[in-house]
Amino acid sequence: MSSSSSWLFSPSCYPLSIDSSSSSAQLLVQWLRFIFLSPCPQRVIISTIDIIFLLSFLAFAAHKLYSRFTSNANSASSITKPLLQEKDSDYKVTLWFKLPLLVTILLAIAYTVLSIFAFIESNLASWIKMEALFRLAQAITNIVIVVLLVHEKKFKASKHPLSLTIYWIGNFVITLLFVASAVVRFVTVDEESRLELNLRVDDVFSLVNLPLSVFLFIVAMKGSSGINVVRMHDVVESSRTNHWISIDRTMSPYANASLWSKTIWLWMNPLLNKGYQAPLKLEDVPSLPLDFRAEKMSELFQRNWPKPEENSKHPVGVTLFRCFWKQILFTGFLAVIRLGVMYVGPMLIQSFVDFTSRKDSSPSEGLTLILVLLLAKSVEVLSVHQFNFNSQKLGMLIRSSIITSVYKKGLRLSSSSRQAHGTGQIVNHMAVDAQQLSDMMLQFHPIWLMPLQVAAALALIYNYVGLSVIAALLGTCLVFVFTLVRTKKSNSFQFQIMTSRDLRMKATNELLNNMRVIKFQAWEDYFGNKIRKFREAEHGSIGKFLYYFAINMGVLSTAPLMVTVLTFGTATFLGIPLNAGTVFTITSVIKILQEPVRTFPQSLIQISQAMISLGRLDEFMTSKERDDKAVEREDNCDSDIAVEIKDGKFSWDDENGNVALRVEDLEIKKGEHAAIVGTVGSGKSSLLASVLGEMFKISGKVRVCGTVAYVAQTSWIQNATIKENILFGLPMNMEKYREAIRVCCLEKDLEMMEYSDETEIGERGINLSGGQKQRIQLARAVYQDSDIYLLDDVFSAVDAQTGSFIFKECIMGALKHKTILLVTHQVDFLHNVDSIMVMRDGTIVQSGKYDELLKAGLDFAALVAAHESSMEIEETSEKAGDSAQSPKLARIPSKEKESTADKQPQDQPKSDKGTSKLIEDEERETGRVDLKVYKHYFTEAFGWWGVVLMLAMSLTWIISFLAGDYWLAIATADDSPIASLTFIIVYAIIAALACIVVMVRSILFTYWGLKTSQSFFIGMLHSIIHAPMSFFDTTPSGRILSRVSTDLLWVDISIPMLVSFVMVAYFSLVSILIVTCQNAWETVFLLIPLFWLNNWYRKYYLASSRELTRLDSITKAPVIHHFSETISGVMTIRGFRKQSEFYQENIDRVNASLRMDFHNNGANEWLGFRLDFMGVIFLCFATVFMIFLPSAIVRPEYVGLSLSYGLALSGLLSFTITMTCSVENKMVSIERIKQFTNLPQEAPWKIPDSSPPQNWPSQGNIELNNLQVRYRPNTPLVLKGISLHIQGGDKIGVVGRTGSGKSTLIQVLFRLIEPSAGKIVVDGINICTLGLHDVRSRFGIIPQEPVLFQGTVRSNIDPLGLYSEEEIWKSLERCQLKDVVAAKPEKLEASVVDGGDNWSVGQRQLLCLGRIMLRRGKILFMDEATASVDSQTDVVIQKIIREDFADRTIISIAHRIPTVMDCDRVLVIDAGMSMDLMCMMFLHKELRTETKTINVQLLPIPIFFLNQTNGLKDALQNNFVHLSKHISTLLVQ
């Protein structure tokens, strides 16, 4: 050290080195250098600044206090007010206030500790006293600043005081001088120079203090205190003057962000800040940038789809590559950059060890090494997170294009393709396959990067240990071979998992769609066990896969240790010297080598899953589509022919082409009304489907002139309001809308509904009666004002009077000038149509007008004869004329009824909830995930002992690895006495123990995770199938399916893995910090801000990320639900040509879902980048301390150990926090599943102490006593006090207007809805005291909608397998299906597809009848059981019921007069009456025989109410004409 620079190292306050003989200019420079760079003057200057600041603060405070005590004249004087104050205001504390406060507190604590150390030194020389006073002044000043900042918050100061701003600026300038002096001392000091210990400590502290001073300088220049003050008058004024200002904040900031903002994710700040202040809502999350939206992706996918001539075998994969090759190349470039810098750190370890072990090391060399380390790690951190973000963004775009393309394909599928794939499987294409391809993008590049990474690592190892690299290569190859073999086996498990999941999802979807029927039949156990069986197969495959994965991860986790043992053992054998630098460089390289070894099998698994998904998607996307050219359509044509078919042959099967329909010549003129009639299964609906183009056209010509409206036989209703269903995408035309409602007889229904046409319809129209659904979809068709109407049996679900009204006012009224093809079984209406087509076995066997066909005889005459026979009344010419008047008479309400209706609003209970929504918004937690959710998950399998065991195993893992590394440090020290052989043997033993610990832990974790997930599934399934019917009425199936698919997938696989990673990561992080701080104690000062910032960043991030994850889960369900709804109604959608509107709705829902995904990914990388970069800064500071401290304090081998650990810190820090956040985000799935494990439950299925006798009900007596029913607690009464008694064996017909409550009565008797009041007594037992299955299994029912389940004829007619084959055939014979089933090659094993779509509606209803034939219960309920069959079949069914159920009690809801006439008594329900005026009439059987010859006269009749029943019998006996009128119009006025 030269004498000229002695002032830099001397604590003296005298200018020893100033040469007074120098010139004036030189003398000035020397003095300035001494004053600003010498230790003592620097401390004097900053202490002076401190004292001036403190004095100004004390003077101002004293002035304030003095003024308060002395000023009495003006209490409001400004001088007596608080230091800082804002009145009439509110405030919000931001980060700009909290961070300066925290930094000042840290500085106050640090200076206080340092001053105490200075004062307690035994040798208090003058320099020590100066140092102690300097530190004390700094401590006091920072304490005062803390008090001042607290004062600012208390009095809402929006700006810092001028004195504080000046102090921070001055302090920053002096700190720069301190740092400059410290750097010069570090660079120029040598071993001979003995620097003062306090000076060395101050120099270190100056470097630590620099970023804090820079931050406080920025705060001072900014001026704002970080307290946002909102003055009330400003708010009011702003709202008055600036109401017109509108800023578009809907677009994501990413769209307009700068390159710098995109590089470090600054564009995420506004959303994260909003989420930190309050829980995010759907509307808070910005929309996707235009280039990322679903419509763009769909268009791009379609544009790049291979042309037919290319004959591509893998079209989906080819298309995705063509669409996104640029993005794939960019992410590959980022991966290569990362690869280029990832080995820089290990390469520097040897240099750092050499630097600390050499005595002639230059400080500049050390600083250069640190700068290289900082640069390399910074580039690595940035490239890693940019790679992750861009890969996830690419995955999101792929998922978007797949979902939209699958949806579009679903709209174009042919009927046979749709049946082949099934709704559940197609939903899996959207939910699972698209996600698999999305996830693959993170694992795509590691496949080809692996050889490069391994080659680079082996080259480095060879550079240090020569031929010993062969051992490393051999060990690595063994690990690769092991993982490849295991991965190949894992692929088969993956395929099994996906197959089992498909089956389970199909079964679950079927259960949810048909829950009402399943509950009626008490089949919950059967279907629950069916799902459990599929789940057990799936769970078994998941278990095999996860155990394989656990062993793989165990091997891969210990592979670096084993490869290290092999390498060092070989080096020892070859006599290659091993020192600390070499050892820890190689261990670091091998740890990095662990990444490709670990990710390669994962990548292979992900790639294999993606390939399976691509194969499934290829199969789906290349499925046969409906041929749009099969039907020639002309919207505006001049031809007189509206519908024309020439030599047509059609099939429902695209492949085999079995002819199902033949039409030689069919012409329907414009404005003509044509009826299509025939027996069940004759091909009536197929004829309409051929006109729509839904059938595969084998040959012939089909031409349609004009727009088409289609009304399906099975009603398809959207989950929307009644108004939205009727408008169906068209703008509102009030006049046309009201007319559509009137002619479809919906006015009274809307009056009965609390919210009229704003009432929301449940999923699949679940809260409407069959007739209401039919009339709403008819109104939808009427409102469309099309040219041609295809109406498929629209009268099947409505009563006779309503049917007559609709035929007259709608068919013959509003649509009188339209072309109509009407499929019907109602022979009464055939007089008024222009032509009739009679079908048999898929062909038109007769065609003509009513009279012509009647004279010709054959099939039509047989149908009419069957109808007349079923009526048991002679048809006369007068009846046809008079019946046309019935609707008009029916529409005129009696005065008595009007008066009661007027009173109704006063008596009707009001809803508790003022909303028209039936489907409730999905329950969503806000804020952090409740600790109870964590407890619920962690203790589900083995309680707290399981948690303790998992923690203990994780801790043992880390300790075993630490032991190995410390042994390396000790054994390779320069002065180590340990022999080479001993070193290798001990190291190998430690490695073997570590392998055993890791393997056992992996297996235990897997077993724990599997047991937990299965427990959750069983609980959720149990809760769902025990839930009341009201739950399914108000919960879309998509909401349930998302929990049993996506959420359960997280619980099965992801959450156990994440929890395992988090435990190890936290222990690893603690071990790194312990090792680093042990060898560089100064870094302890950095731990406080490091931990605080990590915790703050975590909380700041989680506040938004948690809500984004929840919103993501909520927005995914509507995509699935909308798709399921679309597939079920695709014929209607295509019939109306509404594909584009539905496709747009899908686009909107996908965009809403993906914007959550996009911003969640952005938030993840925002956090990860910041945490990793903090880790880099911490590592660099720690390295500075380690290499510049004397080797006596820090040994070189420990520098190597610390650096080998510290290099992992940057990645591990963000990995730990990110994994922790991922666990919390994924815990949302546990939260959602937990919601569905605690659903309200219906009554017990079995009550052991209250079981009915085995033969109950033996008589079939039913008694209702003041029965009152409401659908849900917040809705009005539906049945308002019914009391009646039914004798065993009675046949009761229940009639009433559509929507009057007939089906509700049956639901109550089956206890699908529990009575609000009253009793239901069957054979002397109150059924409300019995278990539900004891009630439901003893009753028989044929429901309103015939439901078949996927499987076979046998599994549908006898699901529980209780009956013999002979009994089944006999049942089929009795229900007129034996010939149909026997004609199929598979007989009883004949296929029934999802929903029974390969059977006609009439055949489905007959199969449902066959079920009841087998059960033969004492009480039978029939809910419009013959609505979808022709009159001839109806006659046969009624005869079968009379014969087979002669001694049974039958309650039959019917719209047909013959069905009513066949009953002993009739119960009429009119829901329009008030509770005490419920209209009930019982017509005695003996009267029926006397009405056989009566000509039905449609005359007015008095209405008899409950309190008039005593005289009812006499009145009816005296007026047979009135009786006939009452029956024919079903007594509804």
Side-chain angles (χ1 to χ4, degrees), residues 473-592:
L473 177 61
L474 180 63
T476 304
C477 289
L478 286 173
V479 173
F480 271 124
V481 171
F482 172 82
T483 52
L484 282 172
V485 171
R486 306 281 294 185
T487 301
K488 187 175 181 181
K489 185 65 177 174
S490 294
N491 289 345
S492 63
F493 296 141
Q494 281 289 321
F495 185 77
Q496 291 171 19
I497 290 171
M498 297 181 81
T499 304
S500 301
R501 185 178 297 135
D502 275 350
L503 292 172
R504 178 175 62 80
M505 288 300 294
K506 279 184 179 179
T508 306
N509 194 45
E510 191 172 54
L511 172 83
L512 298 176
N513 288 340
N514 304 304
M515 184 57 83
R516 190 179 302 276
V517 172
I518 290 169
K519 285 190 177 292
F520 271 138
Q521 305 284 2
W523 287 343
E524 295 101 325
D525 265 340
Y526 169 75
F527 282 92
N529 290 332
K530 185 177 175 182
I531 293 172
R532 286 188 194 97
K533 184 179 73 174
F534 290 137
R535 170 61 182 176
E536 284 169 8
E538 178 191 12
H539 193 252
S541 300
I542 290 172
K544 292 174 186 176
F545 166 72
L546 287 179
Y547 280 122
Y548 261 68
F549 184 79
I551 293 172
N552 287 355
M553 288 306 295
V555 171
L556 294 175
S557 299
T558 55
L561 208 53
M562 303 310 296
V563 172
T564 304
V565 171
L566 281 174
T567 306
F568 292 162
T570 306
T572 303
F573 177 76
L574 294 175
I576 298 172
L578 297 174
N579 57 36
T582 302
V583 164
F584 288 109
T585 298
I586 291 174
T587 55
S588 295
V589 170
I590 292 176
K591 282 178 183 176
I592 293 177

Side-chain angles (χ1 to χ4, degrees), residues 94-107 142 145 149 160 164-165 167-173 175-176 179 206-226 1089 1092-1093 1096-1097:
T94 66
L95 195 63
W96 282 102
F97 175 83
K98 294 177 182 177
L99 280 180
L101 178 62
L102 175 71
V103 168
T104 310
I105 291 172
L106 288 174
L107 289 173
N142 281 288
I145 293 173
L149 292 176
H160 292 300
L164 179 59
T165 302
Y167 173 78
W168 275 340
I169 294 172
N171 184 70
F172 167 71
V173 174
T175 302
L176 287 178
V179 171
S206 297
L207 293 174
V208 174
N209 186 35
L210 178 61
L212 304 181
S213 296
V214 170
F215 173 74
L216 293 176
F217 172 75
I218 293 171
V219 173
M221 297 302 292
K222 193 171 182 290
S224 170
S225 67
W1092 184 88
L1093 282 170
W1096 182 87
Y1097 269 124

Side-chain angles (χ1 to χ4, degrees), residues 702-985:
V702 183
R703 182 171 173 274
V704 174
C705 181
T707 56
V708 175
Y710 171 64
V711 179
Q713 183 175 14
T714 303
S715 304
W716 177 73
I717 302 293
Q718 287 182 274
N719 176 202
T721 64
I722 292 174
K723 180 189 291 183
E724 289 166 341
N725 268 277
I726 294 174
L727 296 180
F728 206 47
L730 291 184
M732 169 61 82
N733 181 325
M734 189 55 71
E735 183 181 351
K736 189 165 70 169
Y737 177 73
R738 286 175 178 163
E739 179 64 9
I741 288 175
R742 186 190 71 79
V743 299
C744 295
C745 209
L746 283 168
E747 290 173 314
K748 186 170 182 181
D749 297 271
L750 297 182
E751 288 172 10
M752 288 163 52
M753 295 177 185
E754 191 173 4
Y755 302 102
S756 188
D757 61 354
E758 292 295 339
T759 300
E760 185 177 4
I761 302 174
E763 194 174 6
R764 302 180 307 280
I766 206 160
N767 56 325
L768 298 176
S769 71
Q772 287 171 327
K773 286 189 280 188
Q774 193 72 278
R775 286 181 285 124
I776 286 172
Q777 69 165 357
L778 180 60
R780 174 172 62 206
V782 172
Y783 189 79
Q784 298 298 307
D785 196 22
S786 301
D787 301 320
I788 302 167
Y789 284 79
L790 308 180
L791 310 179
D792 196 350
D793 204 8
V794 292
F795 304 113
S796 62
V798 297
D799 57 74
Q801 182 207 1
T802 306
S804 298
F805 178 89
I806 290 173
F807 185 78
K808 180 177 184 296
E809 297 292 336
C810 181
I811 308 296
M812 306 303 294
L815 304 180
K816 64 183 177 182
H817 299 302
K818 305 291 185 181
T819 305
I820 298 177
L821 272 72
L822 172 67
V823 171
T824 184
H825 294 132
Q826 307 293 328
V827 176
D828 295 336
F829 301 141
L830 300 181
H831 295 279
N832 301 308
V833 298
D834 299 313
S835 65
I836 301 169
M837 288 170 280
V838 185
M839 299 202 68
R840 183 179 71 231
D841 298 331
T843 58
I844 300 174
V845 294
Q846 285 181 282
S847 179
K849 291 187 176 291
Y850 183 89
D851 295 332
E852 295 171 0
L853 295 178
L854 199 57
K855 288 176 184 176
L858 301 177
D859 294 64
F860 184 71
L863 284 171
V864 175
H867 174 69
E868 291 176 348
S869 173
S870 69
M871 290 290 293
E872 298 183 344
I873 300 175
E874 280 185 290
E875 292 286 335
T876 65
S877 58
E878 290 81 10
K879 177 179 183 285
D882 292 338
S883 64
Q885 303 302 315
S886 61
K888 288 189 176 180
L889 292 172
R891 284 174 55 208
I892 302 173
S894 69
K895 294 189 177 191
E896 186 172 358
K897 174 112 176 236
E898 283 182 9
S899 64
T900 59
D902 291 340
K903 294 175 185 176
Q904 183 182 343
Q906 300 170 7
D907 302 328
Q908 183 172 325
K910 292 293 180 186
S911 170
D912 297 333
K913 186 177 178 183
T915 175
S916 61
K917 286 181 71 66
L918 169 80
I919 303 301
E920 298 168 0
D921 290 334
E922 182 164 1
E923 183 181 349
R924 172 196 161 204
E925 306 286 347
T926 55
R928 63 176 300 156
V929 175
D930 195 335
L931 290 176
K932 290 181 181 177
V933 176
Y934 287 95
K935 175 183 175 294
H936 191 57
Y937 177 74
F938 286 114
T939 61
E940 179 72 16
F942 303 108
W944 287 110
W945 286 111
V947 179
V948 171
L949 179 62
M950 295 303 108
L951 287 170
M953 293 300 295
S954 301
L955 182 60
T956 307
W957 175 351
I958 298 304
I959 290 174
S960 64
F961 275 75
L962 269 176
D965 288 330
Y966 266 100
W967 175 251
L968 282 179
I970 293 168
T972 57
D974 293 338
D975 54 354
S976 173
I978 299 170
S980 298
L981 185 61
T982 306
F983 155 63
I984 289 299
I985 291 173

Side-chain angles (χ1 to χ4, degrees), residues 1098-1110:
R1098 177 182 171 277
K1099 289 193 293 185
Y1100 186 77
Y1101 155 83
L1102 260 182
S1104 299
S1105 177
R1106 190 190 302 117
E1107 301 309 315
L1108 285 171
T1109 303
R1110 286 177 174 137

Side-chain angles (χ1 to χ4, degrees), residues 1354 1363-1370 1387-1389:
R1354 185 194 299 275
Y1363 303 99
S1364 67
E1365 189 162 320
E1366 183 183 351
E1367 289 175 304
I1368 294 173
W1369 278 114
K1370 185 177 179 182
K1387 303 293 190 278
L1388 290 177
E1389 303 306 319

